[in-house]
Amino acid sequence: MGKIQQQYELSDFISEMTKVVEETTESAERVREAERLLCKLIRTKSWLSQEKLQTENSQYARHSLYRDPKNQFEVLALIWEPGQCTPLHDHDGTWGVEGVVSGRMRVKNYVQLESFSDHTAKLCYAGAMTVNEQSTGELLPPADCHILEPHGDETTVTIHVYGKQLRKFRVFEAPDEKGFIRLGNNM
Ligand SMILES: [Fe+2]
C-alpha cells in the first residue's frame, strides 16, 4: 500500500516557522525559510475558512491567521477584489514573504536608499514582477517597499508572513523627478 500523503496545513506551517525563528537570527535566513515553507502551504487553500476569505468593499481585506507569542512572525490572509491595490508602502523595518494562493499579483518593488528628517526618503525603483498562483515574493530591508495590485478579473487570495506584527507601515507619495519620495500618512 502506498503512503498517504497528508495535506500541509496552517498548523504545520506555524510549527515549522516557529522552529525557524527559534533556530535562526538572520532575517535573510528567515525569509528564505519562510518562502520555502509558504510554497508548501499555498499549494492548496482548503485549510482557509470561509470567514478568512471574506472580501471588503472599500479596500482589500486583511485577516489575521496567526501571531507568534514572542512577536517573531505573523501570518495574514489578504483578499483582493480587482482594482484594490495598495499604495507604495514599507513594512516598519521588518522582512516579509507573500504567496499567491489563487489569482495573480502584480508587484512593483522599491529599495530604500536613504531616509531624511524632513519626512522624505530616497527610493529606487527595482522593477516589477507578476507573482502567479502558488508562487511567492519576498521583502528584505532595505528592499522592503512595494506596490501590490491584483491582476485579472477574479478575487485574488494571498498569504503574507512578516517578521513581527505589523502595527504600522509608512505610505509614500509618488517620487519627484530626482527620485525623492515624500512620506504620506502612517497606517
Ligand atoms: Fe506590503
Short mmCIF file of all heavy atoms in Angstrom, two decimals, residues 22 27 41 81 135 163:
data_model
loop_
_atom_site.label_atom_id
_atom_site.label_comp_id
_atom_site.label_asym_id
_atom_site.label_seq_id
_atom_site.Cartn_x
_atom_site.Cartn_y
_atom_site.Cartn_z
N GLU A 22 13.17 30.13 16.13
CA GLU A 22 13.92 29.70 17.33
C GLU A 22 15.37 29.38 16.99
O GLU A 22 16.26 29.57 17.80
CB GLU A 22 13.27 28.45 17.94
CG GLU A 22 12.04 28.77 18.80
CD GLU A 22 11.27 27.52 19.20
OE1 GLU A 22 11.65 26.41 18.77
OE2 GLU A 22 10.28 27.67 19.93
N SER A 27 17.74 37.79 9.36
CA SER A 27 16.50 38.00 8.59
C SER A 27 16.56 37.28 7.24
O SER A 27 15.57 36.71 6.80
CB SER A 27 16.27 39.49 8.35
OG SER A 27 16.01 40.13 9.55
N LEU A 41 2.57 25.64 1.83
CA LEU A 41 1.24 25.98 2.35
C LEU A 41 0.28 26.41 1.24
O LEU A 41 -0.91 26.10 1.30
CB LEU A 41 1.37 27.09 3.40
CG LEU A 41 0.10 27.51 4.12
CD1 LEU A 41 -0.46 26.35 4.94
CD2 LEU A 41 0.34 28.72 5.00
N GLU A 81 -10.20 42.19 -4.31
CA GLU A 81 -11.07 42.28 -5.48
C GLU A 81 -10.31 43.05 -6.56
O GLU A 81 -9.37 43.81 -6.24
CB GLU A 81 -12.37 43.03 -5.11
CG GLU A 81 -13.26 42.30 -4.14
CD GLU A 81 -14.00 41.11 -4.73
OE1 GLU A 81 -13.45 40.45 -5.65
OE2 GLU A 81 -15.11 40.83 -4.27
N SER A 135 3.04 30.81 -6.28
CA SER A 135 4.39 31.38 -6.30
C SER A 135 4.51 32.41 -5.18
O SER A 135 3.50 32.85 -4.62
CB SER A 135 4.68 32.05 -7.63
OG SER A 135 4.64 31.10 -8.65
N GLY A 163 8.04 39.58 9.71
CA GLY A 163 8.98 39.26 10.79
C GLY A 163 8.56 39.76 12.16
O GLY A 163 9.30 39.59 13.14
#
